[in-house]
Amino acid sequence: MVNSFWPMTLSEALDIRKNHNVMIFNGGSDLMVKYRCWSGISVDLPKDILYIGHLNELKSIDINPSEIIIGAAVSYAQFLKDSRLPIEFKHPIEQIGSVAIRNIGTLVGNICNASPAGDTLPMLYALDAKVVIMSTKGQRIVEISDFITGPGSTQLNHDEIVTRIIIPRKTYDRTFYRKVGTRKANAISKVSVFSVADIKESRIDDIRICIGSCGPTVIRVKKIESSIIDLRLSELTLDIDRFLRMYDEKIVPIDDVRSTKIYRSKVACNLIKTFLTKEVIL
Amino acid sequence: MKAISDSIKRFDFDDKIQGKAIYTSDYHLECMFYAKTLRSTVPRAKIKNIITPEIPQGYFIVDHRDVPAQNYIPVVFDDQPIFAVDEVNYIGQPILLVVGEKKEIIQKIINSIHIDYEIIEPVLSIEEAEQAKAPYIFKNQPYFVKYEYSKGDLDKCIKKAKKVISDEFRTGYQEQAYLETQSMVAKYDGHTISVYGSMQCPYYIVEALKVALGWEEDRIRVVQMPTGGAFGGKEDYPSIPGVHAALASIKSKHPVQLVFERQEDIQCTTKRHPSLITIESYLDENGTIIARDMYVKLDGGAYAGLSSVVLQRSILSIGGVYDIENLRVRGTVYATNNVVTGAFRGFGGPQAFFAIEMHMENIANQLNLDSVELKRKYFFKQGDLSSTSGEFFDPIVLNVITDKVLKMSDYRNKRTHNDASKFKGVGCSVFFHGCGFTGAGESDLIKPSVRLKKVKEEVELFISSTEIGQGTLTTMRKIVAKVLDIPVAQVAHHYPDTLECPDSGPTVASRTTLIVGRLLQDCALKLKKRWDEESVEIIHHYQYPSHLSWDSKTFQGNAYPDYSWGANVVEVEVDPDTYQVDVKGIWAVFDIGTPIDRKIVQGQIEGGIVQGLGYSLMEVLESRNGKLSQDTFTTYIIPSSLDIPPIMSELVENPSTIGPFGARGLGEMPLVGVAPALASAIQQAIKCKITKIPVIPEDILRGIHK
Ligand SMILES: Cc1cc2nc3c(=O)[nH]c(=O)nc-3n(C[C@H](O)[C@H](O)[C@H](O)COP(=O)(O)OP(=O)(O)OC[C@H]3O[C@@H](n4cnc5c(N)ncnc54)[C@H](O)[C@@H]3O)c2cc1C
């Protein structure tokens, strides 16, 4: 049998986190599946549990002129309902799971679970999101790409809780998202691509291309992005195949029960090409 | 109810919709124990030793030593043990049960049991079985059964032929994916054993209990509980958990509940047979098909189960709806150390129709003909002889069916004005389903009976046919009420209980409406003549129609008592970036004679089509070293509601002379024709040959870039 902690405040939660060896339980949609067991007996959890999904302090979405700040207990449904958020950021979220999963699952849970197929991740990498981590000692802020260190692993310490995500506020001229799952709902991604671009006077001012499910973590190649930035659209048109080859070299997926490496890399390249030719160049 | 086809509210509607129905896992008897099964984790081995921990008081191990009479499950062959004795032949094979009050403790005991195996080289595919040497899994041969039949003179035609067109097709496993897993509760009262559970065939479990216990039937009672889907997966398989729960209750002297977990259910219960099918067609100088040679190979898994009967339906369907005068048809179902395969909606038909319909498509392509027009030339009609030379006595309206489906779907236009750059396609399939048991099985093997009881104005009907979502509890009442000309509410009908219900046969083979419904119709007619009597009871038995005949040795005669017919059109668009198939629409026209309830019929059609769509498009299920790789609903992908395209269906009413009020069988057929129509559509969209289902995006990519 394990113990469960139901703190009333974030600071109480941080104390518990410091003094006990606990596992954080947010929406529980990953945990309940991972530790499922014979129905009728309680979930076979390896550690004591710290519930945080009910904490009001973690349930807000705050928007200031430079940032969108999303609390750790914000569910997908809450994110989708918030009319202040740009519609482009909602595309990946509205394709996650099904209605029930979107009601309990959280963006922060998805980050902390750090699955290579986590569907919030390509977008959060592309938007340069930051992760706010707290402990009784204080808070630190890290880039999402540093926070996630591999499949299922993050740099979170035993006494820490992720309290929010910060997305720098910026608008983009072009955004693109495609999730390729095994079916249209409740599907784990085989490949996904989230990209944005800014065009100023027929030149590429900014471009970010992120690929999910094709490696241990999200693939984002800043070197290729910087060689595209500042190109004229006409120059990009001429050089598209070279950039696609560069991406092809960087995308080294694996075979698993869901798909094959050949399929994943081909489809990822097709989607990047579609983004570049149909969204960026037009 | 005015006409028999008019829909009425289903009698199981309120219970199921309001959540009031008590399913087996909701059924908690006083002092009830739980049981869990310890299963083989290796595909083939000798069991050297089983090391069990000390078992706490009140907990029990139940294994083969607790079977008082005979340790086998009676199906067709008696090769499958109730519990493994000294060898295992597939991953998931039951070895023993742990039984007791608390699930936590049962789980602990299970986890600490250790089994010493001496591994034997397993046989893991049809190809490996073809090469297999002794020791064999089954008797002294690498297969369970092998059949062959013919019509006309193939050899002569081979010599005469100017052209040969051959194809090879493969189909995969399919999981029934019923919402409710296998579930049983057994209760022993010191004299009688009662088994309550989720099932299709109560008398199969009675039979299995008689074999295992050696008891007379009057000490055995089997009751169907509301059942959350079955699709063939609860035809023969429930005999295993049924007998297990009974043995556990007899040993522990407590009621025992045995409910499978989802992963356990996917891993170890019966699946649809994977197949490898070859077809060669011989054509003369005019491009007329003069002969065919066809071979169906199935993977039967480790025990024979229903495989022989599935193979029969496969080889009896492989000729399709076509009148070809010279045929040779062969079939083999191999023994492997994979999961046991068994009954699944369509029962060998879906594999066969995928193959023959794709083959016709390919012949048309080679001859540069329209495939529907090519098919039409060979359509069976009334008076023709089937592939087994049985006369088709009733009118066959395949042309009407096909015209209708083409018109509804705007097939011609879509097929010819196809913009090649768009990756669009449309395909059509034409098919049948033989209703009822093979040949004279209804009279030789099943001998079904029904019972009607009248007290004053109230009538009750008693059959062992189960309600598995297909509407038995409603349609059978309608038939009886219509004959007696009384309100349907005046006819009672409950979930079957073998104490009261005669054996009306298993709920399989699209036979309930056709065969059992007709028996009830005839029985009600007898009752009507005696309506003046205060209380009457009539038992009515089946008689094989005198104009039909069947020789099960040579496969000659009328292969089924009746046939239903259908055609599908499927339209697709393939995404050029992701190779995903977007199904735009499915059109279906069926001749099921007179529908007994239009709404129930529509439910069967749409459900069957969705299951057929999953089978042909996404339900990948593969055995790796004897273990199924996709054993959860995260990895075994069935269509979600968003994946279901618009489905447009219509009926052609061509009353049967066999079934009640002219009805024919329906339950299985809607699944059967989807795969070939879909695969033909994809074939047109991507311009390369589809030879395997499910057709997944990974295969489409491979095909396009070959
Ligand atoms: C049917 C189904 C469909 C799904 N579909 C999708 C899908 O389409 N795409 C997708 O990406 N995912 C999907 N998921 C997975 C899951 O829903 C998501 O990953 C979800 O975002 C997890 O959030 P949660 O709050 O429920 O996480 P939890 O299960 O509560 O937690 C997940 C992990 O993160 C840790 N954690 C949670 N919050 C914190 C915190 N604040 N600080 C530190 N650690 C924390 C937990 O300890 C745990 O290890 C699906 C799951 C199911 C069951």
Side-chain angles (χ1 to χ4, degrees):
Chain A
M1 276 298 270
V2 296
N3 293 311
S4 310
F5 295 94
W6 187 268
M8 298 315 288
T9 61
L10 176 59
S11 86
E12 201 188 317
L14 291 169
D15 282 337
I16 295 163
R17 184 77 168 138
K18 177 169 171 247
N19 298 321
H20 301 268
N21 180 16
V22 292
M23 189 175 205
I24 297 171
F25 191 107
N26 201 341
S29 62
D30 277 314
L31 288 182
M32 291 300 282
V33 175
K34 184 165 177 193
Y35 296 108
R36 72 182 183 280
C37 55
W38 191 5
S39 63
I41 52 181
S42 47
V43 193
D44 195 9
L45 295 162
K47 282 188 195 178
D48 287 352
I49 289 299
L50 170 61
Y51 290 100
I52 60 156
H54 59 288
L55 292 173
N56 276 332
E57 291 155 88
L58 302 179
K59 279 196 186 217
S60 61
I61 300 176
D62 297 314
I63 302 185
N64 64 41
S66 59
E67 295 167 329
I68 298 169
I69 304 163
I70 299 159
V74 169
S75 70
Y76 295 126
Q78 186 186 345
F79 187 92
L80 289 174
K81 249 186 279 166
D82 197 313
S83 58
R84 299 168 302 165
L85 295 172
I87 187 100
E88 299 81 21
F89 297 179
K90 293 183 180 174
H91 291 321
I93 308 300
E94 66 198 6
Q95 292 183 49
I96 289 180
S98 56
V99 176
I101 292 301
R102 293 194 294 270
N103 282 337
I104 56 159
T106 63
L107 287 86
V108 167
N110 197 246
I111 297 174
C112 294
N113 196 52
S115 156
D119 281 326
T120 65
L121 303 180
M123 172 171 80
L124 294 174
Y125 275 63
L127 301 178
D128 289 332
K130 294 178 182 56
V131 180
V132 181
I133 305 167
M134 284 179 81
S135 69
T136 50
K137 287 177 270 173
Q139 106 172 16
R140 60 191 182 106
I141 298 180
V142 297
E143 296 284 336
I144 187 161
S145 53
D146 293 330
F147 178 71
I148 293 174
T149 52
S153 74
T154 65
Q155 48 150 278
L156 195 75
N157 294 316
H158 284 301
D159 60 343
E160 290 176 325
I161 295 175
V162 173
T163 53
R164 39 193 52 96
I165 319 166
I166 300 174
I167 301 176
R169 237 181 128 182
K170 188 169 183 285
T171 52
Y172 303 91
D173 298 331
R174 311 273 194 268
T175 52
F176 173 90
Y177 180 67
R178 269 308 286 275
K179 166 174 174 166
V180 184
T182 42
R183 66 180 154 209
K184 290 182 181 162
N186 270 334
I188 300 180
S189 293
K190 300 198 276 196
V191 186
S192 69
V193 172
F194 186 95
S195 342
V196 292
D198 265 332
I199 322 280
K200 294 239 160 68
E201 291 158 7
S202 293
R203 267 180 200 282
I204 292 155
D205 192 53
D206 191 2
I207 191 162
R208 306 167 193 181
I209 296 175
C210 292
I211 303 124
S213 294
C214 283
T217 58
V218 169
I219 298 172
R220 177 173 172 189
V221 194
K222 293 208 174 148
K223 237 181 73 195
I224 310 181
E225 290 175 4
S226 48
S227 46
I228 299 179
I229 289 173
D230 278 346
L231 290 183
R232 293 182 161 283
L233 292 181
S234 53
E235 292 168 329
L236 175 62
T237 310
L238 291 177
D239 244 0
I240 261 188
D241 288 336
R242 188 169 63 89
F243 291 123
L244 287 173
R245 276 198 302 278
M246 287 164 78
Y247 272 108
D248 193 35
E249 266 169 39
K250 293 287 176 189
I251 300 169
V252 263
I254 54 162
D255 286 333
D256 65 13
V257 277
R258 278 187 294 283
S259 191
T260 62
K261 61 175 182 245
I262 295 171
Y263 177 82
R264 287 185 159 112
S265 51
K266 178 73 183 153
V267 170
C269 289
N270 287 349
L271 292 175
I272 295 171
K273 183 173 181 182
T274 295
F275 168 64
L276 293 177
T277 54
K278 303 223 169 102
E279 295 287 334
V280 177
I281 298 170
L282 283 172
Chain B
M1 176 181 45
K2 279 182 234 100
I4 189 81
S5 304
D6 294 345
S7 295
I8 62 168
K9 185 174 168 188
R10 288 176 65 126
F11 284 88
D12 56 343
F13 183 87
D14 286 342
D15 268 7
K16 285 176 178 168
I17 295 302
Q18 296 170 9
K20 285 189 202 146
I22 301 293
Y23 292 89
T24 309
S25 63
D26 307 322
Y27 193 46
H28 292 280
L29 296 170
E30 225 174 295
C31 302
M32 191 175 78
F33 278 5
Y34 297 97
K36 193 163 181 72
T37 317
L38 181 82
R39 302 178 178 282
S40 166
T41 53
V42 295
R44 192 179 191 187
K46 289 256 172 268
I47 298 176
K48 303 282 287 178
N49 195 8
I50 301 181
I51 304 156
T52 38
E54 190 152 341
I55 306 295
Q57 173 118 43
Y59 288 80
F60 304 87
I61 300 246
V62 179
D63 65 14
H64 67 93
R65 291 165 300 183
D66 297 297
V67 180
Q70 302 175 82
N71 183 26
Y72 71 84
I73 298 290
V75 191
V76 178
F77 299 93
D78 301 330
D79 58 330
Q80 170 144 233
I82 297 166
F83 289 112
V85 180
D86 49 13
E87 60 166 29
V88 288
N89 278 308
Y90 68 97
I91 290 176
Q93 181 166 0
I95 298 171
L96 56 83
L97 301 176
V98 177
V99 183
E101 188 191 345
K102 294 224 152 54
K103 286 185 172 178
E104 285 85 352
I105 297 178
I106 295 170
Q107 187 68 60
K108 266 207 195 98
I109 298 172
I110 291 256
N111 292 348
S112 56
I113 295 175
H114 176 81
I115 300 185
D116 260 344
Y117 293 111
E118 182 185 308
I119 303 293
I120 307 171
E121 187 69 31
V123 177
L124 295 171
S125 63
I126 292 174
E127 287 84 351
E128 282 181 34
E130 288 180 297
Q131 308 294 324
K133 297 193 177 63
Y136 292 108
I137 300 168
F138 181 77
K139 297 184 181 164
N140 278 321
Q141 59 196 46
Y143 54 85
F144 295 113
V145 289
K146 225 178 186 175
Y147 299 125
E148 176 170 345
Y149 72 89
S150 57
K151 181 182 177 185
D153 189 341
L154 175 72
D155 291 333
K156 209 169 97 196
C157 294
I158 293 179
K159 287 197 201 96
K160 221 168 67 185
K162 291 284 172 309
K163 192 176 174 73
V164 192
I165 296 178
S166 33
D167 276 309
E168 182 178 291
F169 299 101
R170 275 171 196 277
T171 65
Y173 283 106
Q174 190 182 15
E175 154 65 31
Q176 291 86 359
Y178 29 63
L179 261 179
E180 181 200 28
T181 57
Q182 301 280 343
S183 308
M184 291 288 162
V185 167
K187 186 177 170 219
Y188 178 54
D189 66 7
H191 175 77
T192 306
I193 184 74
S194 303
V195 173
Y196 305 82
S198 184
M199 63 186 74
Q200 286 175 247
C201 314
Y203 275 95
Y204 281 8
I205 302 177
V206 169
E207 219 34 60
L209 287 165
K210 277 161 68 180
V211 168
L213 302 174
W215 296 359
E216 292 300 316
E217 202 163 311
D218 60 0
R219 292 177 66 196
I220 295 168
R221 176 182 182 192
V222 176
V223 183
Q224 188 210 3
M225 300 290 285
T227 293
F231 312 111
K234 293 171 185 169
E235 176 170 351
D236 59 323
Y237 194 85
S239 297
I240 299 176
V243 170
H244 284 180
L247 293 169
S249 179
I250 292 167
K251 183 162 186 177
S252 67
K253 303 198 170 55
H254 283 254
V256 171
Q257 187 193 77
L258 175 59
V259 174
F260 285 18
E261 292 296 287
R262 178 63 62 185
Q263 202 164 2
E264 174 184 27
D265 197 299
I266 295 181
Q267 273 297 345
C268 68
T269 64
T270 50
K271 308 281 158 272
R272 188 186 301 289
H273 290 73
S275 75
L276 171 57
I277 298 177
T278 52
I279 306 183
E280 268 125 49
S281 287
Y282 296 88
L283 284 68
D284 68 10
E285 59 281 357
N286 305 319
T288 300
I289 305 164
I290 51 173
R292 260 186 192 144
D293 195 5
M294 308 186 261
Y295 201 149
V296 179
K297 295 173 183 174
L298 303 177
D299 181 342
Y303 294 101
L306 291 160
S307 282
S308 53
V309 199
V310 172
L311 179 66
Q312 287 169 17
R313 193 175 276 278
S314 240
I315 61 171
L316 294 171
S317 304
I318 190 72
V321 294
Y322 310 113
D323 184 15
I324 306 291
E325 272 168 37
N326 303 285
L327 295 173
R328 177 171 68 166
V329 183
R330 288 175 291 174
T332 307
V333 54
Y334 289 96
T336 68
N337 296 101
N338 289 319
V339 64
V340 181
T341 42
F344 194 147
R345 199 177 201 172
F347 208 80
Q351 297 93 324
F353 280 102
F354 168 65
I356 184 65
E357 286 299 281
M358 294 309 287
H359 180 63
M360 286 300 273
E361 192 75 23
N362 295 342
I363 294 177
N365 281 343
Q366 285 213 20
L367 301 182
N368 231 336
L369 294 171
D370 176 84
S371 59
V372 176
E373 292 318 309
L374 175 77
K375 290 174 183 181
R376 232 189 250 278
K377 259 176 66 183
Y378 301 94
F379 277 171
F380 278 129
K381 27 181 217 318
Q382 184 173 24
D384 283 350
L385 297 184
S386 72
S387 62
T388 55
S389 305
E391 187 178 338
F392 287 114
F393 291 103
D394 286 356
I396 297 174
V397 294
L398 284 171
N399 274 314
V400 181
I401 293 172
T402 307
D403 288 342
K404 198 162 185 155
V405 84
L406 296 188
K407 184 145 178 271
M408 276 165 70
S409 59
D410 195 18
Y411 175 89
R412 288 251 165 278
N413 187 26
K414 287 173 179 163
R415 181 86 174 180
T416 42
H417 300 272
N418 182 273
D419 177 357
S421 66
K422 277 263 171 56
F423 274 20
K424 278 182 170 179
V426 60
C428 175
S429 63
V430 190
F431 46 90
F432 67 73
H433 190 78
C435 313
F437 260 58
T438 321
E442 291 291 344
S443 54
D444 295 351
L445 304 170
I446 311 194
K447 306 182 174 61
S449 318
V450 303
R451 179 161 79 99
L452 283 178
K453 190 169 133 189
K454 169 191 180 268
V455 180
K456 296 199 178 115
E457 296 299 299
E458 303 295 317
V459 177
E460 183 164 358
L461 73 90
F462 298 90
I463 51 176
S464 68
S465 310
T466 49
E467 171 64 73
I468 45 176
Q470 87 288 38
T472 306
L473 285 177
T474 306
T475 48
M476 298 299 119
R477 274 182 172 107
K478 284 181 77 173
I479 290 168
V480 171
K482 184 82 190 164
V483 175
L484 296 173
D485 201 12
I486 56 174
V488 68
Q490 224 165 295
V491 183
H493 179 195
H494 302 284
Y495 283 95
D497 175 341
T498 58
L499 270 192
E500 294 194 305
C501 299
D503 187 354
S504 60
T507 307
V508 304
S510 304
R511 65 179 287 282
T512 301
T513 299
L514 180 80
I515 305 286
V516 184
R518 177 60 187 267
L519 284 173
L520 282 169
Q521 184 185 27
D522 293 345
C523 191
L525 280 170
K526 286 188 190 167
L527 178 61
K528 197 172 184 177
K529 294 200 181 106
R530 297 172 56 185
W531 192 251
D532 294 340
E533 294 173 39
E534 166 94 5
S535 72
V536 198
E537 202 176 314
I538 300 174
I539 296 185
H540 184 69
H541 305 286
Y542 179 79
Q543 260 188 342
Y544 190 55
S546 57
H547 62 292
L548 303 180
S549 71
W550 177 248
D551 182 335
S552 62
K553 297 239 159 39
T554 57
F555 284 79
Q556 292 299 307
N558 306 97
Y560 295 98
D562 202 356
Y563 292 84
S564 293
W565 308 87
N568 285 163
V569 167
V570 177
E571 187 187 356
V572 302
E573 199 172 321
V574 178
D575 186 303
D577 283 341
T578 66
Y579 317 104
Q580 288 169 301
V581 176
D582 193 13
V583 182
K584 295 291 181 194
I586 301 184
W587 292 264
V589 176
F590 299 115
D591 167 12
I592 54 152
T594 310
I596 294 298
D597 187 292
R598 287 187 191 281
K599 187 136 260 149
I600 290 177
V601 165
Q602 190 187 348
Q604 287 299 296
I605 291 175
E606 293 181 3
I609 286 177
V610 170
Q611 213 161 22
L613 181 71
Y615 179 51
S616 29
L617 203 56
M618 55 181 79
E619 297 185 22
V620 176
L621 184 58
E622 296 157 328
S623 170
R624 293 257 154 82
N625 301 320
K627 190 166 194 296
L628 296 170
S629 306
Q630 296 80 4
D631 63 356
T632 66
F633 282 157
T634 311
T635 47
Y636 184 72
I637 306 298
I638 58 174
S640 74
S641 54
L642 293 184
D643 296 285
I644 300 173
I647 297 171
M648 278 65 62
S649 65
E650 281 194 33
L651 301 177
V652 169
E653 288 194 28
N654 171 35
S656 158
T657 51
I658 305 259
F661 299 100
R664 303 175 203 279
L666 161 68
E668 295 169 275
M669 187 172 54
L671 190 151
V672 168
V674 181
L678 182 87
S680 307
I682 298 175
Q683 195 160 280
Q684 189 192 18
I686 65 171
K687 288 166 196 62
C688 61
K689 252 169 114 172
I690 303 287
T691 56
K692 176 179 149 253
I693 47 169
V695 191
I696 54 172
E698 284 77 359
D699 292 334
I700 293 178
L701 166 65
R702 214 171 291 138
I704 290 176
H705 292 278
K706 224 183 333 216

